[in-house]
Amino acid sequence: MRIMDFRSDTVTKPSEEMRKIMAYAEVGDDIYGDDPSSNALAAYAAELTGKEAAMYVCSGTMGNLIAFLVAGRPGESLLAGARSHVWCAEVGGFSGVAGLCPYPLNDDEGIPRKEDLAATSRADNNIHHPDTTILTLENTHNFTGGVAVSPAKFADVAREGRRLGFHVHLDGARIFNASVFHGVDVSAYVKEVDTVQFCLSKGLGAPMGSMLCGTAAFIEKAMKWRKRLGGAQRQVGVAAAAGLYALKNNIDRLALDHENALNMVKLLEKGGVEVEPVSNRTNMLFFRLRDEHPSDEEFVAKCKARGVLLNVNEPRRIRLVTHLDVNASDVEEAAAVILEVLS
Ligand SMILES: *Cc1c(COP(=O)(O)O)cnc(C)c1O
């Protein structure tokens, strides 16, 4: 039975060609700056995003955390969307490790509202208030449905954050999904922020790793934090080579994943499933199980028994993600399975 894995785009496995490139990657000790593949990846990521410098990190979570550690100090305030990955799915690292005091913003539309920022700046010198240091944005926005926030809307909010004196960080785990969706260069987003983290390990198809990009001075400090957290690695070029391959080969094809997600929505809706509507859908979709449907566990198990893997994002809320290891016919087959299990 073919297993069709829609749990996340993180499940993508390195292709034959990527594995060959990894096997023969030139490597050295990256902590001495001697790893040519890691250096090449960093240079390419900086060029692609239009930032001065970049560095490889183990994960998106680590990239975000290091950005916060460099930009903020314990007791300062971090503004993050209440439905952001940073807030909901990074184990509270911003407070548990970076000591930041979080301030949740409404991001039901995929990005906090510009009007909400000024009130949180706490630039009133009130002795009771923490200083607000960082605003973190997310694009595409995962838990609201993979929303690709438009460059104009994104710039509007990011510029307001910078006007208020915040360090603006972009959790761009899937920023290339956003740039491909809107047909713009990724720098259209990145130029509006101080730092960006993006994942190599999701729809781009590398097995691991993320990049953190910013000014050279920022990345120099970030390297110290990466070392302190135990995230500096030696012959990391084996992974970096896969990342570079992913950036050079797998960006444009993200459009296919978006098409496949749209097709999945169409097929499910035709069968009576109320897929959560979102503006600018990229590679994911969410729907709720109704009272008459099986329990979450039963639903997931029955789909799995028929070869379809999917995620329960929160009780009664199912998420499906398209990526380079599921194709158009998998989408048709999986939609049929889901409809059968629900009927
Ligand atoms: C996956 C994800 C991350 C974290 O990446 P990991 O590599 O899994 O740590 C951060 N932000 C968003 C929006 C994500 O989807």
Side-chain angles (χ1 to χ4, degrees), residues 59-61 64 85 90 138 142 171 173-174 199 202:
S59 66
T61 300
N64 290 334
H85 194 277
E90 298 182 11
E138 179 178 320
N142 190 339
D171 174 4
R174 297 184 183 81
C199 292
K202 296 191 170 164

